[in-house]
Amino acid sequence: IGASDPEVAPWARGGAAGMAGAGAGAGARGGAAAGVEARARDPPPAHRAHPRHPRPAAQPSARRMDGSSGGLGSGDSAPTTEALFVALGAGVTALSHPLLYVKLLIQVGHEPMPPTLGTNVLGRKVLYLPSFFTYAKYIVQVDGKIGLFRGLSPRLMSNALSTVTRGSMKKVFPPDEIEQVSNKDDMKTSLRKVVKETSYEMMMQCVSRMLAHPLHVISMRCMVQFVGREAKYSGVLSSIGKIFKEEGLLGFFVGLIPHLLGDVVFLWGCNLLAHFINAYLVDDSVSDSPGGLGNDQNPGSQFSQALAIRSYTKFVMGIAVSMLTYPFLLVGDLMAVNNCGLQAGLPPYSPVFKSWIHCWKHLSVQGQLFRGSSLLFRRVSSGSCFALE
């Protein structure tokens, strides 16, 4: 599992609104990246129309889906659609919460169980730390099954706020209708469109991230209380009062900068890489050849192959870029719980960091910038306190 948000991998979080519930504000990198390339690569009628096979009817644009000009979200159905997105996001958030919970405990360095001796693919003896399933079973033994959902309430509120914010911003600042282009001759026009829409998605993601981040901080602190068995943060309202009293207004935004940077890098990296790969490596004319997908026996299918390849390109790019931006997620989560009065944010689990850059440098020196990125096969690193007998 490699993620760009405090949850599951961003490429697995769905659309910009519907699947934002899987991440507080990765909430959603993958969603923001998912729609841009698809809209940018839709073949234009003027260039791709076949003389004998008319172009299929155009699909509703993102604007129509948001309720700006009819369609799914138009009229009285807009609030219903938005409520459906929030409910769907809440369901995904609840299902993925044990995964995030275990991941966060690993990120802060809490290893309550000793490693086990095993062998790698080369037959060498190595030490493996407990996997997600073993760790989750340990949590159930300590806190019961309900313990796997510690910190879920503020996370649900954070994701709902993020989803509603993105939906409201789309209504206030609807995306411009831009001519769809896809062939290499219109590369400059297509690139300008990708840049414009990525900028638009970046604006929405940054605003929703900033508004939802205080609840994300509360959720992180509720979860890491498992380490020291504390009960300092028990409810959303009481947690807000404690943070404001002890740390002031800035206490709600600790760890925000690395999360924002990770979101921005993910959006631009994923969208631009997918755009250039689809533009230069995916050939729309392959189906125009005799016997190809666009022949008389299969009319209208000349677009299907290219569209399928492009969808896989976005998926693969989402995985790759999320892995590269994972250190931003790790640093942001560690800063959210650092020096807050909980054992997980104090020595010996963690030094008291002066800034997120200090945290980044500390993890880099120890070779721990990707700590917690894998939840199944977790080898003991060379710098760990564990060693072979």
Side-chain angles (χ1 to χ4, degrees):
I1 302 293
S4 104
D5 217 272
E7 291 74 21
V8 197
W11 43 266
R13 295 188 203 133
M19 299 301 290
R29 295 180 193 172
V36 174
E37 186 64 23
R39 294 192 294 269
R41 309 307 306 161
D42 194 20
H47 295 282
R48 306 255 54 93
H50 195 281
R52 287 175 295 177
H53 310 309
R55 177 180 174 84
Q59 298 298 320
S61 66
R63 218 173 153 184
R64 289 181 62 87
M65 297 296 288
D66 291 331
S68 300
S69 56
L72 179 62
S74 61
D76 296 336
S77 64
T80 304
T81 303
E82 186 169 318
L84 178 63
F85 284 157
V86 173
L88 179 61
V92 174
T93 299
L95 291 176
S96 65
H97 189 77
L99 187 72
L100 170 66
Y101 186 19
V102 171
K103 182 177 183 178
L104 180 63
L105 295 178
I106 295 174
Q107 285 178 333
V108 299
H110 185 54
E111 300 290 350
M113 294 169 286
T116 57
L117 184 64
T119 57
N120 58 14
V121 292
L122 300 177
R124 297 177 180 176
K125 292 184 178 181
V126 293
L127 289 174
Y128 286 100
L129 292 168
S131 66
F132 161 75
F133 300 102
T134 305
Y135 211 128
K137 185 178 180 180
Y138 171 78
I139 294 176
V140 171
Q141 292 175 351
V142 176
D143 282 345
K145 293 181 180 179
I146 195 66
L148 288 172
F149 298 93
R150 181 195 293 260
L152 176 60
S153 296
R155 186 170 169 233
L156 287 173
M157 296 172 63
S158 173
N159 295 330
L161 178 59
S162 178
T163 302
V164 172
T165 300
R166 295 177 67 88
S168 301
M169 290 188 65
K170 283 187 176 181
K171 294 176 183 178
V172 178
F173 305 103
D176 296 331
E177 293 288 353
I178 303 176
E179 182 183 359
Q180 304 296 311
V181 293
S182 68
N183 59 2
K184 299 176 183 178
D185 295 334
D186 295 321
M187 177 56 60
K188 292 184 179 180
T189 303
S190 180
L191 180 59
R192 284 198 300 268
K193 178 183 184 301
V194 172
V195 169
K196 187 171 183 179
E197 292 205 15
T198 303
S199 301
Y200 176 79
E201 292 290 344
M202 180 182 67
M203 176 194 67
M204 290 198 303
Q205 175 62 20
C206 290
V207 172
S208 62
R209 167 74 74 177
M210 288 187 291
L211 292 178
H213 192 74
L215 290 169
H216 172 68
V217 171
I218 295 174
S219 177
M220 297 291 104
R221 295 185 179 184
C222 288
M223 286 187 277
V224 298
Q225 289 182 135
F226 178 84
V227 176
R229 312 304 299 164
E230 298 107 335
K232 181 178 180 180
Y233 300 95
S234 56
V236 174
L237 295 180
S238 62
S239 299
I240 292 176
K242 285 186 176 69
I243 294 176
F244 185 78
K245 181 179 179 180
E246 296 177 1
E247 305 173 50
L249 188 60
L250 294 179
F252 295 103
F253 298 97
V254 287
L256 175 62
I257 294 179
H259 275 300
L260 288 176
L261 290 176
D263 290 341
V264 171
V265 172
F266 177 87
L267 276 173
W268 285 99
C270 184
N271 291 343
L272 291 179
L273 283 175
H275 170 74
F276 286 121
I277 290 175
N278 288 334
Y280 287 107
L281 300 182
V282 179
D283 189 4
D284 289 335
S285 63
V286 65
S287 56
D288 294 332
S289 59
L293 292 177
N295 56 20
D296 294 338
Q297 285 72 30
N298 196 8
S301 64
Q302 68 182 91
F303 308 106
S304 60
Q305 186 182 34
L307 291 177
I309 294 175
R310 285 167 184 152
S311 65
Y312 283 113
T313 302
K314 292 181 292 181
F315 178 78
V316 173
M317 287 300 100
I319 298 175
V321 178
S322 67
M323 292 175 63
L324 294 177
T325 57
Y326 179 81
F328 291 99
L329 164 68
L330 174 61
V331 172
D333 288 348
L334 291 182
M335 291 302 298
V337 301
N338 188 252
N339 196 26
C340 65
L342 299 178
Q343 185 176 336
L346 296 170
Y349 283 97
S350 170
V352 176
F353 298 117
K354 299 178 181 178
S355 66
W356 71 270
I357 298 178
H358 180 202
C359 178
W360 184 293
K361 291 181 178 179
H362 174 78
L363 294 173
S364 179
V365 170
Q366 293 190 337
Q368 296 289 314
L369 277 175
F370 290 89
R371 184 171 66 195
S373 60
S374 175
L375 297 180
L376 294 179
F377 302 101
R378 304 173 53 224
R379 287 184 54 183
V380 175
S381 61
S382 57
S384 173
C385 60
F386 299 111
L388 287 169
E389 293 292 341

